[in-house]
């Protein structure tokens, strides 16, 4: 089993829809859970991160982590065409450790 | 917020030549930087960890003699692709811990080897 599993999509939704993006992971030592957004030909941009289990909300974005089931989610409310990008989940251990990326889910929000 | 600057943003080189990519942390010190590679429609794959003052550590399958990493200072790491070949054409991205848990990424370097 890969360390991080993420459905690559593509996922296409109409503008205004609620989007649910998910990842599963296998390493129970992961403590930090990041979501990055990557536009074509650009480096990943940090969207949100959470520590351990729980929810975190930032504007239209909500991140959820369930460590008991090793499940990570990102919800986007009122999706906009500008949200069209690839979304990468990336958990990591503590300290100066690298991120382990999922494949990324390509999202298209259609106006 | 923490910023990582990567240069150049794109480069085209001839097969057999070497290319150097720079990664700088602009407003924080980074004793560790990570180098990733991303092929089209694929995820980021960790290539190596750059350590200031010591040798880089490479992931399995990454040739350390081909991808030379030098962490010259607390704000600069360089990746040199030596004797580049067309199969080295890819998107190379560096990242650094910014003092808190998230990693910050450069904008990447698109390398095309002809």
């Amino acid at each position: 089993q890969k360390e991080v599993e993420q459905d690559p999509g593509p996922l296409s939704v109409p503008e205004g829809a609620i989007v649910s993006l998910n990842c599963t992971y296998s390493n129970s030592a992961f403590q930090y859970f990041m979501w990055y957004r990557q536009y074509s030909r650009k480096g990943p941009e940090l969207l949100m991160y959470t520590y351990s289990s729980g929810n975190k909300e930032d504007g239209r974005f909500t991140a959820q982590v369930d460590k008991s089931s090793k499940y990570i989610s990102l919800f986007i409310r009122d999706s906009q065409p500008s949200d069209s990008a690839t979304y990468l989940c990336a958990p990591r251990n503590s300290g100066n450790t690298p991120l382990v990326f999922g494949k990324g889910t390509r999202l298209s929000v259609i106006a | 917020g923490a910023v990582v600057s990567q240069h150049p943003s794109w480069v085209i080189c001839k097969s057999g030549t070497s290319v150097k990519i720079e990664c700088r942390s602009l407003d924080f010190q980074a004793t560790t930087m990570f180098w990733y590679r991303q092929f089209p429609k694929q995820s980021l794959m960790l290539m190596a960890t750059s350590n200031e003052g010591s040798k880089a550590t490479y992931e399995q399958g990454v040739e350390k003699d081909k991808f030379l990493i030098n962490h010259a200072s607390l704000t600069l790491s360089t990746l040199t692709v030596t004797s580049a070949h067309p199969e080295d054409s890819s998107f190379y991205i560096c990242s650094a811990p910014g003092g808190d848990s998230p990693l910050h990424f450069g904008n990447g370097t698109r390398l095309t080897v002809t």
Side-chain angles (χ1 to χ4, degrees):
Chain A
Q1 182 187 5
K2 291 184 179 177
E3 276 201 292
V4 181
E5 298 270 11
Q6 185 177 7
D7 185 344
L11 179 62
S12 185
V13 301
E15 183 175 0
I18 296 175
V19 177
S20 172
L21 305 168
N22 308 292
C23 288
T24 58
Y25 64 94
S26 58
N27 188 345
S28 58
F30 288 143
Q31 295 187 39
Y32 297 94
F33 303 91
M34 275 55 122
W35 282 95
Y36 287 84
R37 178 172 60 193
Q38 186 177 26
Y39 293 109
S40 181
R41 298 176 179 264
K42 295 288 187 182
E45 165 196 12
L46 178 67
L47 263 182
M48 299 183 68
Y49 77 96
T50 54
Y51 172 72
S52 194
S53 284
N55 294 358
K56 187 172 184 178
E57 187 174 325
D58 184 0
R60 296 185 294 112
F61 299 87
T62 300
Q64 285 185 353
V65 176
D66 182 347
K67 290 192 73 177
S68 62
S69 59
K70 300 188 179 68
Y71 197 80
I72 313 166
S73 300
L74 178 71
F75 299 95
I76 307 174
R77 292 184 299 279
D78 188 24
S79 56
Q80 303 294 309
S82 58
D83 295 330
S84 299
T86 296
Y87 290 80
L88 301 150
C89 65
R92 69 184 291 222
N93 297 325
S94 60
N96 283 345
T97 56
L99 292 168
V100 180
F101 283 94
K103 280 188 175 181
T105 300
R106 279 192 297 134
L107 171 68
S108 292
V109 181
I110 311 300
Chain B
V3 177
V4 175
S5 175
Q6 191 171 338
H7 179 80
S9 55
W10 60 271
V11 58
I12 301 173
C13 71
K14 291 187 177 180
S15 186
T17 61
S18 295
V19 173
K20 180 186 283 189
I21 302 169
E22 291 187 349
C23 181
R24 294 181 185 273
S25 56
L26 294 186
D27 55 1
F28 64 100
Q29 293 183 332
T31 56
T32 301
M33 291 187 180
F34 304 108
W35 286 96
Y36 291 83
R37 179 168 53 183
Q38 186 177 33
F39 291 106
K41 297 188 178 181
Q42 308 233 342
S43 190
L44 286 80
M45 297 300 295
L46 180 68
M47 296 176 66
T49 301
S50 173
N51 303 297
E52 192 272 334
S54 64
K55 289 183 180 180
T57 54
Y58 291 81
E59 295 300 299
Q60 190 174 10
V62 177
E63 299 174 59
K64 62 180 181 181
D65 294 330
K66 181 171 186 59
F67 299 99
L68 301 180
I69 290 174
N70 181 24
H71 203 127
S73 72
L74 287 172
T75 59
L76 174 63
S77 174
T78 60
L79 168 68
T80 301
V81 183
T82 63
S83 187
H85 289 283
E87 58 265 30
D88 298 325
S89 298
S90 188
F91 192 51
Y92 293 86
I93 311 172
C94 68
S95 72
D100 52 11
S101 49
L103 285 178
H104 301 277
F105 285 85
N107 257 329
T109 297
R110 186 160 301 280
L111 170 65
T112 301
V113 184
T114 61

